[in-house]
Amino acid sequence: MAFSNGHKSEQSDKKVSEGGTRYLVKDIYIADPSAHVFNGKLYVYPSHDIDAGIPQDDNGDHFAMRDYHVFSMDNIDGKVTDHGVVLDEDSVPWVGRQMWAPDAAEKDGKYYLYFPAKDKTDIFRIGVAVSDKPEGPFKAEPDPIRGSFSIDPAVFKDDDGKYYMYFGGIWGGQLQRYRNGKAIECGKEPADNKPALGPQVARMSDDMLQFAEAPKTIQILDKNGKPLLAGDHDRRFFEASWMYKYNGKYYFTYSTGDTHKLCYATGDNPYGPFTYQGVILTPVVGWTTHQSIVEFKGKWYLFYHDARLSGGKTWLRSVKVTELKYNKDGSIQTIDGKK
Ligand code: FUB
């Protein structure tokens, strides 16, 4: 299958539309893809990975990204357009370093790019930048969103027109430093036999620039209605929130981090609780992966990343897309991360 730069896939001769997988681009490293359909086109808002020469650690210091590009395509197997740098750290007064996984939303013809970055005191905050076009460029607000913390914002528009931001990530993402939205002294994860830390959710203000309420912690429960425990590394939330709706149900999806899976939990309202359902994607090449799920022209797609094209360098990742399929009961068919 031909790609935007003419190379062939190492994984599959099939097009995405035939059940294959596709790397979006191979000339730069990108990760953490947030895919959206705006005006009938598919737009992808990823992190832009670079080799900053910083050694790998559990704090994620090696993820030293400095700007964002936006990508678009008219169909899933078609040409991918790179719209170039749409926001960089020098244009955002509050940013110190590490522009991590972004997301975007549209409201009333304006486009909002949400991005986490460490401020000048090395604390992760979430910022917002605005454009008249989905492909940017974006102009950042002078300060981060009030009351924001941690990483990986994902903004979901519900059918009633309300927007919610889901966010948070443990370890390098600093979520363990907070309880009930407030910074705490000890800053550690709970003991293994205690409920795991949960992702955060807050409804957005009408102007999309602030939270309309204090963030709340989401509960992810097992099938017996018990919260997943901090020691349950195979299932507990680590980072990479992504919310969407399928057949009237809310699907909250996330990464398990150190066990390298993408999982999902379902519920009946945007605040949860959500009940753990299973694995969407088995481990990929590389430490992290991070997903978005979107319906485009009548089919569902999983966007994610792996580090295969850099030979496994986890700070140099590439975005892939493959079709996502459901069973009749609404469960998701698990995808092989190595395919
Ligand atoms: O890209 C930096 C971090 O790696 C993201 O914020 C996480 O979701 C993980 O993919």
Side-chain angles (χ1 to χ4, degrees):
M1 151 185 178
F3 290 91
S4 53
N5 62 0
H7 291 183
K8 284 204 75 164
S9 164
E10 289 82 351
Q11 281 76 55
S12 166
D13 288 332
K14 288 183 178 166
K15 294 180 170 186
V16 177
S17 56
E18 295 165 348
T21 64
R22 175 190 196 186
Y23 284 108
L24 290 200
V25 290
K26 294 183 175 177
D27 53 342
I28 64 170
Y29 290 108
I30 54 173
D32 309 319
S34 292
H36 291 276
V37 179
F38 295 134
N39 312 318
K41 273 173 87 141
L42 211 148
Y43 289 86
V44 180
Y45 301 83
S47 305
H48 175 198
D49 282 358
I50 53 167
D51 195 344
I54 297 171
Q56 188 171 342
D57 61 20
D58 281 351
N59 214 22
D61 284 341
H62 47 298
F63 297 115
M65 299 85 101
R66 297 189 185 127
D67 60 30
Y68 297 106
H69 286 227
V70 174
F71 299 82
S72 68
M73 45 197 179
D74 290 322
N75 62 67
I76 206 70
D77 291 313
K79 178 175 178 277
V80 176
T81 301
D82 178 352
H83 296 278
V85 175
V86 299
L87 185 74
D88 68 56
E89 65 179 14
D90 293 338
S91 67
V92 193
W94 61 268
V95 167
R97 62 180 181 135
Q98 292 184 301
M99 297 181 103
W100 283 13
D103 190 21
E106 181 273 341
K107 185 178 179 188
D108 298 335
K110 280 205 181 308
Y111 297 85
Y112 300 86
L113 182 72
Y114 297 95
F115 59 97
K118 282 183 180 157
D119 66 13
K120 309 273 191 209
T121 67
D122 244 17
I123 303 295
F124 267 114
R125 307 279 177 207
I126 296 170
V128 54
V130 187
S131 176
D132 291 330
K133 292 181 284 181
E135 69 271 26
F138 290 87
K139 184 168 172 23
E141 291 292 293
D143 297 301
I145 293 173
R146 279 190 297 281
S148 69
F149 54 95
S150 199
I151 60 166
D152 289 2
V155 175
F156 161 74
K157 182 185 183 186
D158 207 347
D159 299 333
D160 61 4
K162 291 185 178 137
Y163 291 78
Y164 299 85
M165 182 184 289
Y166 298 83
F167 64 97
I170 59 177
W171 296 18
Q174 302 181 341
L175 184 61
Q176 66 280 3
R177 299 187 187 179
Y178 299 85
R179 296 292 186 279
N180 303 317
K182 300 264 175 317
I184 55 164
E185 284 284 315
C186 97
K188 290 201 180 113
E189 285 179 77
D192 280 359
N193 62 353
K194 298 281 185 225
L197 291 174
Q200 306 293 302
V201 59
R203 190 164 61 75
M204 298 304 294
S205 58
D206 287 343
D207 65 6
M208 300 292 275
L209 302 178
Q210 299 291 339
F211 294 152
E213 59 188 3
K216 297 175 175 61
T217 298
I218 286 175
Q219 279 201 312
I220 303 177
L221 309 175
D222 65 17
K223 294 247 161 96
N224 299 316
K226 298 249 167 55
L228 296 185
L229 300 181
D232 185 353
H233 289 213
D234 276 322
R235 299 189 297 174
R236 60 93 171 86
F237 170 81
F238 189 98
E239 61 187 5
S241 295
W242 182 262
M243 167 65 84
Y244 71 100
K245 242 169 151 175
Y246 176 73
N247 282 350
K249 253 198 185 329
Y250 294 80
Y251 282 62
F252 178 77
T253 73
Y254 61 97
S255 159
T256 61
D258 58 338
T259 51
H260 317 290
K261 290 181 242 180
L262 297 180
C263 293
Y264 72 110
T266 57
D268 56 18
N269 76 83
Y271 293 102
F274 299 100
T275 303
Y276 178 86
Q277 299 295 342
V279 175
I280 301 169
L281 184 77
T282 60
V284 298
V285 174
W287 203 97
T288 68
T289 192
H290 182 134
Q291 79 296 349
S292 60
I293 292 174
V294 68
E295 188 180 18
F296 184 47
K297 300 190 177 177
K299 287 190 169 189
W300 287 86
Y301 296 101
L302 173 73
F303 286 77
Y304 60 106
H305 68 240
D306 70 19
R308 189 191 293 266
L309 297 185
S310 68
K313 292 192 182 100
T314 205
W315 61 95
L316 293 177
R317 301 162 293 177
S318 304
V319 167
K320 299 177 81 171
V321 57
T322 194
E323 194 177 342
L324 180 117
K325 293 196 173 128
Y326 299 90
N327 298 311
K328 284 213 175 83
D329 63 0
S331 56
I332 292 175
Q333 295 180 9
T334 303
I335 296 166
D336 177 0
K338 300 282 189 329
K339 93 172 181 167

